[in-house]
Amino acid sequence: MFETLNLRKVDNLLSLMQAFRTDQRPDKVDLGVGVYKNDAGDVPVMRAVKEAEQRLVADEESKNYVGIAGDAGFRELIPGLLLGADHALIGESRIASIQTPGGTGALKVACDMLQAITPGKTLWVSTPTWANHIPIATDAGLTVAQYPYFRGETRGLEFDAMMEHLRANAQSGDALMLHACCHNPTGVDLSSEQWKAVTDFVLDRGLLPVVDCAYQGLADGMDADVAGLRHMAARVPEMLIASSNSKNFAIYRERTGALSLVAKSKIELAATFAAAETVIRSNYSMPPSHGARVVSTVLQDSALRKIWEAELTDMRDRITSMRSGLRSRLQALDVEADTSFLTDQRGMFTYTGFTPDDVHWLREMRGIYMAGDGRINIAGLGSANIDAVAEALAARLA
Ligand code: PLP
Ligand code: TYF
């Protein structure tokens, strides 16, 4: 019977990881999967996280079920982390967060909810978008449509084309997916003016925003990165926010994220919350506990929180210095192409504009691994490989 299964091609990032592991070249470079690495190329446990884990192991007295919506302490902290503690939505009791298995779990619950609200509802996503967005949405039964976003010639945003397309095609009641910051895969984000314009359009057209916030804190800071999201959240009647703590706490495998629901009123929020719980109950029932307890332990303890903030700042600063370091090396190699995209794009990812041929050449000839679409993970760069990577990229940048 199983031979009838129609298997979707596995996410090429995961097969890339496998190919990297089996490559015997000692100077191979992994710029593939989006995890933060330190200068030595390791993915370490953050100090604040380690300390929180030690406390949790020492203090935990029960492994009883956590409940469908997850850890209460974590759920209370997420709205403040996303929106700032003094945001109007919190005062109005119009936002509630549910702990989910990673940001991916939040997106899955969000899509299942949309399908329950309006079967076959259209979800608009950017071109391109994270490789998992479209499969999650279509598997939930949603119709996915795409809006223009990244312009190859400028390696930047095509905002006018995006708005024109949405104006011409998005229907009242459709859902609009936006990346809060550090757009995956392009690194190209909306400016605050553009967030305002999109917010006005969302209100005017009657769209439901679904914001994916997987990299808060990895570009300019925990507050700065979500200024656009905060603006939008203060103005729209309803919204879904899928957030992940995988990156900003470096707890990828602990599967820690949240789905935050924004409703018109406290009463509607309660009904929306119950609908989300129904979807979760027949899916994974309850989220795992550990990662959320780690996050809440760090955030609730001022000393641990300070350590975590300093560590996150170091991560961000290292990304920024790798961006400018790569750019200045390319300039020193007299690359004629405009390299400003390297320092303009935000967060871990940069869309190089490389063709599949370039990507293949860099992997085969230089042992440099990147996603098939030419996305590189800037955090894969370090003092040991940045010169070699610059030299190899210079050979292919046009
Ligand atoms: N959304 C985007 C844009 C991502 O890049 C990721 C990546 O890892 C996720 C969501 C999911 O994160 P998580 O690992 O927490 O499921
Ligand atoms: O885009 C990335 O590299 C990260 C990590 O199925 C990731 O989002 C990649 C693929 C995947 C899960 C996470």
Side-chain angles (χ1 to χ4, degrees):
M1 246 189 270
F2 295 166
E3 70 278 5
T4 63
L5 286 171
N6 189 5
L7 286 186
R8 180 185 282 136
K9 213 172 148 280
V10 180
D11 194 329
N12 74 16
L13 271 171
L14 302 181
S15 41
L16 190 76
M17 258 167 97
Q18 187 55 33
F20 180 79
R21 272 193 217 108
T22 55
D23 190 327
Q24 296 297 315
R25 287 174 285 185
D27 53 356
K28 62 186 176 177
V29 181
D30 180 10
L31 306 181
V33 177
V35 294
Y36 175 81
K37 296 183 199 167
N38 63 18
D39 188 64
D42 298 323
V43 185
V45 181
M46 292 171 90
R47 268 206 312 131
V49 166
K50 198 59 150 179
E51 170 66 29
E53 290 188 306
Q54 277 156 357
R55 289 188 200 175
L56 285 173
V57 169
D59 298 345
E60 193 169 51
E61 283 175 347
S62 174
K63 294 282 188 192
N64 197 355
Y65 287 119
V66 289
I68 297 175
D71 183 77
F74 174 83
R75 286 171 39 212
E76 269 163 37
L77 286 160
I78 292 301
L81 203 63
L82 291 172
L83 301 180
D86 55 356
H87 197 276
L89 277 182
I90 298 173
E92 292 163 12
S93 304
R94 285 180 46 219
I95 179 164
S97 301
I98 291 174
Q99 184 207 328
T100 56
T104 309
L107 289 164
K108 167 68 177 153
V109 175
C111 288
D112 283 348
M113 282 181 72
L114 294 182
Q115 176 68 359
I117 297 165
T118 327
K121 191 187 214 30
T122 296
L123 174 70
W124 288 90
V125 302
S126 59
T127 309
T129 194
W130 183 42
N132 220 358
H133 279 156
I134 296 174
I136 292 172
T138 52
D139 283 359
L142 302 179
T143 302
V144 174
Q146 292 187 252
Y147 56 85
Y149 190 81
F150 181 80
R151 189 175 169 83
E153 296 90 85
T154 57
R155 295 185 177 95
L157 183 66
E158 46 182 6
F159 188 67
D160 292 345
M162 166 182 169
M163 293 312 289
E164 223 169 86
H165 191 85
L166 287 171
R167 236 177 237 115
N169 297 290
Q171 309 287 320
S172 171
D174 287 353
L176 175 66
M177 167 93 80
L178 298 160
H179 298 223
C181 59
C182 310
H183 184 273
N184 184 2
T186 68
V188 170
D189 288 339
L190 300 175
S191 69
S192 44
E193 285 313 308
Q194 289 163 340
W195 272 99
K196 286 182 185 159
V198 175
T199 300
D200 291 345
F201 174 69
V202 159
L203 286 168
D204 187 51
R205 185 59 54 92
L207 303 179
L208 175 71
V210 180
V211 180
D212 184 353
C213 186
Y215 297 90
Q216 185 184 1
L218 273 298
D220 295 318
M222 286 297 288
D223 294 316
D225 290 350
V226 287
L229 166 67
R230 289 175 181 183
H231 171 88
M232 180 175 273
R235 282 157 188 85
V236 296
E238 297 171 327
M239 181 178 208
L240 297 175
I241 307 168
S243 58
S244 166
N245 299 107
S246 300
K247 317 290 149 92
N248 52 21
F249 281 79
I251 49 172
Y252 310 90
R253 64 174 63 169
E254 300 300 348
R255 313 308 302 129
T256 310
L259 176 63
S260 296
L261 315 167
V262 174
K264 284 182 207 131
S265 66
K266 197 174 170 176
I267 292 170
E268 282 196 19
L269 183 64
T272 313
F273 196 88
E277 286 190 314
T278 305
V279 161
I280 292 165
R281 184 78 186 94
S282 58
N283 184 348
Y284 55 84
S285 184
M286 297 179 197
S289 160
H290 184 72
R293 298 284 305 275
V294 167
V295 169
S296 59
T297 302
V298 170
L299 294 178
Q300 280 165 345
D301 182 291
S302 61
L304 282 188
R305 190 172 181 139
K306 270 211 183 85
I307 295 172
W308 166 70
E309 277 167 0
E311 291 181 283
L312 185 59
T313 302
D314 284 349
M315 289 159 66
R316 188 161 61 231
D317 289 350
R318 203 184 87 71
I319 291 173
T320 305
S321 89
M322 286 298 117
R323 284 186 175 281
S324 54
L326 186 57
R327 186 174 176 199
S328 60
R329 280 168 178 77
L330 289 171
Q331 284 167 333
L333 290 164
D334 289 330
V335 165
E336 275 177 25
D338 181 1
T339 53
S340 55
F341 72 95
L342 283 169
T343 44
D344 289 346
Q345 295 175 359
R346 321 295 307 152
M348 275 192 324
F349 302 124
T350 276
Y351 226 40
T352 57
F354 283 144
T355 63
D357 267 357
D358 294 322
V359 173
H360 183 78
W361 185 88
L362 287 161
R363 187 173 66 227
E364 296 305 313
M365 305 307 289
R366 302 299 173 94
I368 297 172
Y369 285 70
M370 65 183 68
D373 57 6
R375 184 194 81 174
I376 61 177
N377 175 13
I378 290 285
L381 296 171
S383 45
N385 63 30
I386 190 167
D387 289 313
V389 170
E391 195 270 324
L393 297 193
R396 302 300 289 197
L397 266 181

